[in-house]
């Protein structure tokens, strides 16, 4: 069955069912897009290519072929594809809606295997918050609600909790969430590692502390998230940016960000 045939089978009368939304974005659709990128990557050998928010593990063999041939391809996935359970998504639970969609447990384990083998390079937040009226969990259906997951604040404990169960260590998580993203952005000489002349960016945390995500622990403005109510391992105590404490046990300093790409020419 091709993608068009699969789309024709969607029951438009059951838009509150997650299965309806899932069928509207089948893995084959994602694989076809990735196949196009890998084909262009092989054709234009010196042009860096990047696959964003990989959710369909069936595309990993395509990625493997290109990466094993040393073409400049990098791949990211996101915490929600690695940790959220498709079976817990009830009718109109639109806080779980994102594009591409959250898929099944077998697919999820294959994504973890992709990280283990290095075929998937990094985990990024794809943080996409919205106001309550755009999702209205329990009211809006999956086809009309905003698509996006808010989770950037809890990325470290989310991945640590699930990764540790699979035998991964903090060094693995640091590589996926810090070192490799810094390299992709062309910042590997100043970010993503503890080294002389690199920025003193640190997180001080307790990896064994348990946290529960509730409204009063969420710091971003719009608090609609599928992680609400979940228990996680790992509590961030302090965040240090270029040697300055910017977060300390729930308290923030005045924003201290600065432009890091005054001239983007070096990235081309």
């Amino acid at each position: 069955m091709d993608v068009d045939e699969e789309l024709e089978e969607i029951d438009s009368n059951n838009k509150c069912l997650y299965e309806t939304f899932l069928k509207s974005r089948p893995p084959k659709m994602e694989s076809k897009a990735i196949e196009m990128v890998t084909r262009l990557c092989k054709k234009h050998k010196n042009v860096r290519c990047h696959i964003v928010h990989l959710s369909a593990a069936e595309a990993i063999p395509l990625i493997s072929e290109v990466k094993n041939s040393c073409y400049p391809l990098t791949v990211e996935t996101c915490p929600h594809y690695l940790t959220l359970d498709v079976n817990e998504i009830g009718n109109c639970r639109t806080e779980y809606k994102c594009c591409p969609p959250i898929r099944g447990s077998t697919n999820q384990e294959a994504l973890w295997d992709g990280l283990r083998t290095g075929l998937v390079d990094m985990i990024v937040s794809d943080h996409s918050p919205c106001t309550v009226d755009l999702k209205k969990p329990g009211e809006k259906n999956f086809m009309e609600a905003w698509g996006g997951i808010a989770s950037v604040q809890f990325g470290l404990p989310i991945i640590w909790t699930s990764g540790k169960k699979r035998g991964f260590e903090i060094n693995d998580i640091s590589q996926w969430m810090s070192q490799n993203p810094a390299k992709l952005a062309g910042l590997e000489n100043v970010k993503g590692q503890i080294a002389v002349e690199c920025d003193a960016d640190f997180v001080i945390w307790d990896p064994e502390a348990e946290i529960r995500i509730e409204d009063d622990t969420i710091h971003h403005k719009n608090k609609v998230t599928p992680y609400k109510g979940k228990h996680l391992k790992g509590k961030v105590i302090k965040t240090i940016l270029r040697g300055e404490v910017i977060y300390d046990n729930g308290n923030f300093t005045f924003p201290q960000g600065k432009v890091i790409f005054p001239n983007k020419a070096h990235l081309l």
Side-chain angles (χ1 to χ4, degrees):
M1 184 181 295
D2 63 22
V3 171
D4 291 335
E5 290 174 331
E6 289 188 36
L7 294 177
E8 287 177 2
E9 289 196 348
I10 295 172
D11 185 352
S12 60
N13 294 318
N14 285 309
K15 295 178 181 178
C16 267
L17 295 178
Y18 184 69
E19 183 182 3
T20 301
F21 174 63
L22 192 59
K23 285 182 176 179
S24 74
R25 283 142 176 92
K28 288 180 182 177
M29 183 180 288
E30 190 173 341
S31 294
K32 285 185 70 174
I34 291 173
E35 189 278 328
M36 180 179 67
V37 173
T38 57
R39 176 163 36 85
L40 291 172
C41 188
K42 289 187 284 187
K43 179 179 179 181
H44 305 285
K45 301 178 181 179
N46 296 319
V47 177
R48 292 192 299 167
C49 299
H50 184 67
I51 304 296
V52 299
H53 36 67
L54 175 70
S55 81
E58 74 168 39
I60 288 179
L62 288 170
I63 293 165
S64 176
E65 177 189 353
V66 175
K67 295 192 79 167
N68 288 338
S69 297
C70 297
Y71 290 102
L73 178 71
T74 49
V75 183
E76 67 179 53
T77 189
C78 307
H80 33 283
Y81 302 129
L82 295 165
T83 63
L84 294 178
D85 184 355
V86 70
N87 294 315
E88 68 186 41
I89 306 177
N91 292 353
C92 289
R93 292 290 302 277
T94 54
E95 66 269 36
Y96 285 87
K97 180 183 176 181
C98 57
C99 297
I102 297 160
R103 305 192 189 277
S105 58
T106 300
N107 180 88
Q108 187 175 93
E109 292 308 316
L111 291 177
W112 279 106
D113 286 341
L115 286 162
R116 192 185 305 276
T117 60
L119 293 174
V120 179
D121 300 274
M122 62 197 77
I123 303 171
V124 304
S125 71
D126 196 30
H127 183 62
S128 183
C130 70
T131 53
V132 175
D133 60 296
L134 293 178
K135 275 193 179 285
K136 286 188 178 178
E139 297 181 34
K140 283 197 171 187
N141 66 58
F142 284 105
M143 306 306 285
E144 65 180 345
W146 172 273
I149 302 289
S151 67
V152 67
Q153 176 188 344
F154 302 104
L156 178 56
I158 286 169
I159 295 302
W160 172 245
T161 300
S162 292
K164 189 178 181 183
K165 293 176 182 177
R166 294 167 172 84
F168 294 109
E169 302 291 342
I170 190 62
N171 288 346
D172 300 309
I173 295 170
S174 177
Q175 182 178 20
W176 299 330
M177 302 185 77
S178 185
Q179 183 178 348
N180 287 349
K183 185 177 180 181
L184 177 67
L187 294 170
E188 66 269 32
N189 292 326
V190 290
K191 299 286 185 183
Q193 58 178 321
I194 300 174
V196 175
E197 297 188 356
C198 285
D199 288 350
D201 300 337
F202 304 101
V203 167
I204 298 174
W205 74 314
D206 181 348
E208 298 303 319
E210 293 190 3
I211 62 171
R212 179 181 168 90
I213 300 178
E214 298 292 356
D215 278 350
D216 60 356
T217 63
I218 298 173
H219 295 306
H220 46 262
K221 177 181 177 181
N222 297 301
K223 302 180 186 296
V224 179
T225 174
Y227 291 101
K228 195 176 296 183
K230 293 191 180 297
H231 293 267
L232 301 172
K233 280 271 193 177
K235 180 180 179 181
V236 174
I237 299 168
K238 294 187 180 185
T239 304
I240 300 170
L241 175 66
R242 293 189 298 274
E244 299 290 333
V245 176
I246 61 171
Y247 171 81
D248 187 349
N249 278 303
N251 299 308
F252 294 86
T253 64
F254 187 78
Q256 299 181 38
K258 68 177 184 180
V259 176
I260 56 177
F261 291 131
N263 181 355
K264 296 182 180 180
H266 72 288
L267 298 176
L268 301 178

